[in-house]
Amino acid sequence: MMLSKSKINTFLRCPRSFKYIYIDKLEDEIGEAAQIGLNVHEYAENIAKELMNQETITEDLILEIMLKLYPFEEEEFDDDNHAQSLYTFFTDALVEQNYKVFGVEGRVDDEEDQLRGIVDLILEDQETGELFVIDYKTGKVKAISNFRLELCIYRKLIEHKYPDRKVTSACIFFTKNASYKGFNFTESQKKGSYVTEEEYNLVFDLIDEIRNLIDIEYSSPKRDDISKGQRFSFCRDFCSFYEQCKSEGGR
């Protein structure tokens, strides 16, 4: 099975939910928070695509493009935290830091390692040619350790697609309040937020273990009671399959 960070995270959170979505192919209802995420990602994607084709980028140009593409009434723009945060992000990255947009919101498949992912944004350092991975989140700020697995997957996918390029940094940008959490990739340990090559490789050892668990969980014909996971308040409040899980013996 081709794995993605969404599949891996779903399995780690609840194997039964994984079964409903990826084995049984049941439709997962989109909640309000998820819809906000989809809207913000689409907006950010469209902005970056336009900026990718500009010779000279200024703060005024970024604002002009953002207002043109804004999916709601223009007078709402100033009070939209996500839009204002994206303006801060693009002006900082493309004007102050002098990065340029290298790639935008594209699905990348690695058939060899059976991995896939959708990379929100790739920036290029115009001096060194090194690449910088950005992933947008619309929820609360969390520690970067929560996102190490997915950012390592994105690095692997991008370096697979562009073998002559090196991903040296990865970052989560929280659009609700314009916060960054990120780390640099390095050969050996340094002070600060770094992921060494040893730690990077351990991520894929973990993914191999998860893949084996998935194979055991869903390939064995003797398993009639697949993944009875526990139903916590999180499940009741956020899982589309809560009632079905309850009726089928999830506890």
Side-chain angles (χ1 to χ4, degrees):
M1 174 185 287
M2 185 79 79
L3 291 184
S4 65
K5 62 100 174 177
S6 296
K7 288 182 179 179
I8 292 168
N9 287 337
T10 300
F11 183 81
L12 291 174
R13 184 176 68 247
C14 176
R16 181 176 281 270
S17 182
F18 179 94
K19 173 183 182 293
Y20 290 146
I21 297 171
Y22 299 111
I23 305 298
D24 299 341
K25 307 294 185 183
L26 300 182
E27 187 172 346
D28 191 9
E29 295 178 7
I30 297 177
E32 181 179 357
Q35 188 60 58
I36 290 173
L38 291 173
N39 292 342
V40 171
H41 276 75
E42 182 178 7
Y43 182 44
E45 174 188 356
N46 291 335
I47 295 166
K49 283 180 177 177
E50 289 232 7
L51 291 171
M52 192 175 184
N53 299 317
Q54 304 296 327
E55 288 291 333
T56 303
I57 295 177
T58 64
E59 292 184 21
D60 288 341
L61 176 63
I62 292 171
L63 182 59
E64 177 186 336
I65 289 172
M66 290 187 69
L67 287 172
K68 179 182 72 174
L69 297 173
Y70 191 60
F72 308 110
E73 297 297 326
E74 187 173 315
E75 55 265 26
E76 298 178 53
F77 182 82
D78 289 341
D79 296 322
D80 187 329
N81 289 343
H82 298 287
Q84 292 299 311
S85 292
L86 287 172
Y87 174 72
T88 298
F89 167 74
F90 282 115
T91 54
D92 180 54
L94 305 183
V95 179
E96 301 296 331
Q97 302 296 324
N98 200 32
Y99 285 102
K100 71 175 184 179
V101 178
F102 180 84
V104 180
E105 189 80 22
R107 194 183 89 171
V108 183
D109 289 350
D110 181 348
E111 297 289 346
E112 181 179 349
D113 293 302
Q114 286 291 285
L115 289 171
R116 76 162 41 118
I118 297 177
V119 182
D120 287 346
L121 181 67
I122 310 169
L123 299 178
E124 179 185 15
D125 186 316
Q126 296 195 69
E127 294 184 3
T128 66
E130 295 171 338
L131 301 183
F132 184 11
V133 180
I134 306 292
D135 193 63
Y136 307 117
K137 302 294 183 188
T138 55
K140 294 180 180 179
V141 177
K142 296 180 181 179
I144 189 60
S145 57
N146 292 286
F147 308 103
R148 177 175 294 187
L149 182 144
E150 61 192 80
L151 292 177
C152 286
I153 290 175
Y154 293 153
R155 172 192 162 183
K156 190 173 189 67
L157 290 172
I158 293 166
E159 291 183 346
H160 172 79
K161 185 173 182 178
Y162 305 103
D164 60 333
R165 297 296 187 124
K166 185 71 174 175
V167 175
T168 57
S169 303
C171 172
I172 300 293
F173 181 70
F174 297 90
T175 64
K176 192 172 183 179
N177 53 11
S179 295
Y180 294 88
K181 294 288 184 180
F183 51 71
N184 298 320
F185 295 103
T186 184
E187 290 292 333
S188 57
Q189 187 62 50
K190 297 181 180 180
K191 292 183 178 179
S193 297
Y194 286 88
V195 170
T196 67
E197 285 300 297
E198 180 180 3
E199 291 168 333
Y200 174 73
N201 291 325
L202 285 173
V203 167
F204 298 98
D205 290 341
L206 171 63
I207 290 174
D208 286 341
E209 291 181 17
I210 293 170
R211 190 186 301 280
N212 289 334
L213 287 173
I214 290 172
D215 288 341
I216 293 169
E217 189 80 9
Y218 302 113
S219 299
S220 174
K222 64 183 179 181
R223 290 297 301 272
D224 296 323
D225 58 339
I226 293 175
S227 306
K228 287 187 177 179
Q230 300 214 6
R231 296 196 313 276
F232 300 107
S233 60
F234 173 89
C235 303
R236 183 179 63 250
D237 294 338
F238 297 103
C239 183
S240 302
F241 310 110
Y242 176 76
E243 292 300 330
Q244 180 171 344
C245 175
K246 181 179 178 181
S247 69
E248 293 180 359
R251 60 183 188 278

